[in-house]
Amino acid sequence: MKTGDNSKMGEDFFKYLPSTIIINILSRLPTRAVMDCKCVCKPWLGLLTTPEFVNSHVSRSVPGIAVESCSPHSCKIIEFVDELDPNFDKKCSSEAIFKFDEKHRWEVTFNFRFPFDGYIISSANGLIFLRDFGFDHDDLILWNPITRDYIKLPCPRQTSPKVRNALDNFGFGVSGTTGLYKVVRVFAETPQRQEGFKNACQVYTVGTGTWRNVPFGKPLRFCDDTRGAHLNGNLYWMVAKRTKGFCRWISCFDLETELFSTFAAPPPRGRDILFGRSLCVLRDCLCVSDISHYRCDLSDKDEGCDLSDKDEVCDLPNEGCVIVWLMKEDDHSWTKIFVIPDVERLAGIGHIWPIIIFENGDALMEWDDGMIFYYSNMTENVYYEIKSIEGHDPSTIMYSSSFVSLKSFAMENVSSLAHYEL
């Protein structure tokens, strides 16, 4: 029989636990459950806003993707559902679960209406970095959709106001040691006399209110005006060391030391003509995905090709292959982990980004025109439309939700939005 003291202990069990244990327990809950816990009592509300809880929750946050779509301009936060989950059948009855194969499904955990007209560039620790530019404005925005807070960052100054930019590239991430959040801008101005491009770099440390010029280092040609890939305190871009030719190198910017370095990208496959090369993060590794069109005997694995030699480029078929490489970070070595052969629809497509590669070899990937497609390793078929995106052209980034507070950054004007979840 329970005594009066035991009954009280049962009712107020959490009251007698040390805060470190409560943080350990609550940081393991899904993000939406943590949001509900904030409404339980004032002590919990205070505890769940402490740096100790926020950092613990970030370290355990389930990685997923943020899918940007239009009509309305919104952002879906998606987590992948494990088919081995004992509650899998029950979960799949929910309208939030989307099936794209018998073995794989995803769950929309949040669906936010965009507070701005801009597009997503990248994300780090639950903070989403956007760029909203138009005819009369160019805003850089840092946004946490979970806390509904955002910051409009000051725009960087143009070094030569009368000269247009040939390249204007941004990246966002957090430094590995000090944990500082930084926005990096790499840009190149087009000189009036066309002597070539000269790259420059500016860095904004969130909370300081000012942009700083950072030495760029060796002259490099950035292959595309795309966002920098963020991994383990570094930002990465595809580059070339010549004004012509294909991108065979990767530029790395260390967010801690603010220094650039360069290392080799994986080589083209055999005698294939390499038409598209993309950089992203996959399985916590730097990933390169190639679009490769067949040219002649693929059994020759040693020879490379150079698109600067136009005589070598003949009439190309629509079919080709997609090759995915992962990098070993300690020695910058590359391993080919995935090949999708005989892929149609490659003509005119410049980039493919892997979203997730499952343990059984199936893959979910995105074209550069926004279409998400699914590859079945067992049937070796490619399914070009995933209906759960509702027909919109999405843009995806890796995303893990967090309770990182923008109000913790000094020198920033933080604004809050009303409830805007769809």
Side-chain angles (χ1 to χ4, degrees):
M1 176 179 287
K2 291 184 178 180
T3 64
D5 291 340
N6 288 337
S7 178
K8 183 177 179 181
M9 180 65 177
E11 294 175 0
D12 300 329
F13 177 73
F14 276 91
K15 182 185 296 185
Y16 298 94
L17 287 178
S19 60
T20 54
I21 295 180
I22 297 177
I23 289 175
N24 195 321
I25 294 172
L26 299 183
S27 64
R28 300 172 186 272
L29 295 176
T31 300
R32 191 175 290 278
V34 174
M35 296 170 73
D36 293 336
C37 289
K38 286 190 172 185
C39 301
V40 171
C41 58
K42 287 185 178 180
W44 277 22
L45 177 61
L47 187 66
L48 297 179
T49 57
T50 61
E52 292 77 15
F53 171 79
V54 171
N55 294 333
S56 181
H57 181 266
V58 165
S59 67
R60 295 188 172 104
S61 185
V62 177
I65 59 174
V67 180
E68 181 181 354
S69 60
C70 56
S71 299
H73 194 192
S74 61
C75 177
K76 292 181 174 68
I77 308 301
I78 291 174
E79 296 176 1
F80 292 91
V81 180
D82 187 355
E83 65 271 23
L84 299 180
D85 190 323
N87 297 318
F88 183 66
D89 293 334
K90 181 179 179 181
K91 286 182 178 180
C92 288
S93 62
S94 169
E95 293 181 357
I97 302 293
F98 295 101
K99 169 183 173 182
F100 56 91
D101 181 74
E102 291 298 330
K103 296 182 179 180
H104 310 297
R105 295 166 174 83
W106 64 33
E107 178 181 5
V108 177
T109 55
F110 293 96
N111 190 5
F112 297 107
R113 185 184 296 274
F114 258 69
F116 315 99
D117 293 331
Y119 64 94
I120 295 176
I121 293 179
S122 60
S123 172
N125 289 351
L127 302 183
I128 294 178
F129 177 57
L130 308 101
R131 187 180 185 185
D132 180 11
F133 65 94
F135 178 77
D136 58 349
H137 68 281
D138 189 353
D139 296 327
L140 303 176
I141 299 162
L142 201 57
W143 172 44
N144 188 334
I146 301 300
T147 64
R148 304 197 298 273
D149 293 337
Y150 70 93
I151 297 171
K152 280 192 176 183
L153 305 177
C155 291
R157 290 185 177 180
Q158 184 81 354
T159 55
S160 302
K162 296 183 179 180
V163 179
R164 69 178 181 89
N165 285 337
L167 169 75
D168 206 358
N169 198 311
F170 288 89
F172 170 68
V174 56
S175 59
T177 303
T178 56
L180 296 176
Y181 292 85
K182 298 182 180 182
V183 177
V184 179
R185 181 196 184 206
V186 176
F187 62 102
E189 296 179 349
T190 305
Q192 295 178 350
R193 296 184 179 180
Q194 301 296 323
E195 291 93 349
F197 300 146
K198 182 179 179 181
N199 293 326
C201 178
Q202 296 174 330
V203 175
Y204 182 89
T205 302
V206 181
T208 62
T210 57
W211 288 85
R212 295 175 288 106
N213 293 322
V214 173
F216 186 83
K218 296 180 179 179
L220 298 169
R221 179 175 65 85
F222 279 66
C223 298
D224 294 286
D225 192 3
T226 56
R227 58 203 179 200
H230 173 242
L231 176 67
N232 296 336
N234 298 303
L235 290 172
Y236 298 91
W237 289 271
M238 298 296 309
V239 297
K241 291 187 175 180
R242 300 182 298 171
T243 56
K244 295 182 179 180
F246 205 77
C247 297
R248 300 177 181 270
W249 302 89
I250 294 175
S251 177
C252 171
F253 181 78
D254 189 319
L255 290 166
E256 192 69 48
T257 63
E258 298 187 352
L259 297 175
F260 283 94
S261 60
T262 308
F263 56 91
R269 187 180 85 156
R271 293 177 177 268
D272 287 7
I273 297 175
L274 193 56
F275 259 75
R277 171 161 276 185
S278 307
L279 193 64
C280 65
V281 175
L282 182 70
R283 295 179 177 174
D284 292 325
C285 296
L286 195 64
C287 170
V288 168
S289 57
D290 290 337
I291 297 177
S292 189
H293 286 276
Y294 304 145
R295 184 170 65 179
C296 45
D297 184 9
L298 297 182
S299 62
D300 187 349
K301 302 294 184 182
D302 299 324
E303 294 187 28
C305 66
D306 193 340
L307 289 180
S308 61
D309 187 358
K310 295 183 179 179
D311 294 335
E312 294 292 338
V313 181
C314 53
D315 293 335
L316 294 171
N318 286 332
E319 291 188 352
C321 63
V322 176
I323 306 171
V324 178
W325 305 79
L326 287 186
M327 188 189 78
K328 188 177 179 181
E329 194 169 12
D330 55 353
D331 61 358
H332 293 166
S333 61
W334 295 93
T335 302
K336 181 168 58 180
I337 66 162
F338 200 78
V339 177
I340 303 179
D342 302 325
V343 180
E344 298 178 354
R345 199 182 175 269
L346 285 181
I349 298 296
H351 300 280
I352 289 180
W353 290 276
I355 296 174
I356 184 170
I357 297 180
F358 298 96
E359 292 297 328
N360 66 349
D362 297 348
L364 196 66
M365 311 181 85
E366 182 183 19
W367 303 101
D368 63 357
D369 63 357
M371 179 181 290
I372 290 180
F373 73 96
Y374 168 68
Y375 172 74
S376 172
N377 187 46
M378 183 177 66
T379 64
E380 297 185 350
N381 289 328
V382 176
Y383 303 92
Y384 290 104
E385 292 188 15
I386 304 300
K387 299 298 184 182
S388 55
I389 301 300
E390 301 172 359
H392 303 310
D393 293 338
S395 176
T396 63
I397 61 166
M398 301 306 298
Y399 175 83
S400 297
S401 59
S402 79
F403 294 91
V404 173
S405 174
L406 296 177
K407 296 175 182 177
S408 63
F409 298 110
M411 303 296 293
E412 301 291 357
N413 185 16
V414 180
S415 302
S416 298
L417 298 162
H419 188 73
Y420 57 97
E421 188 175 355
L422 296 175

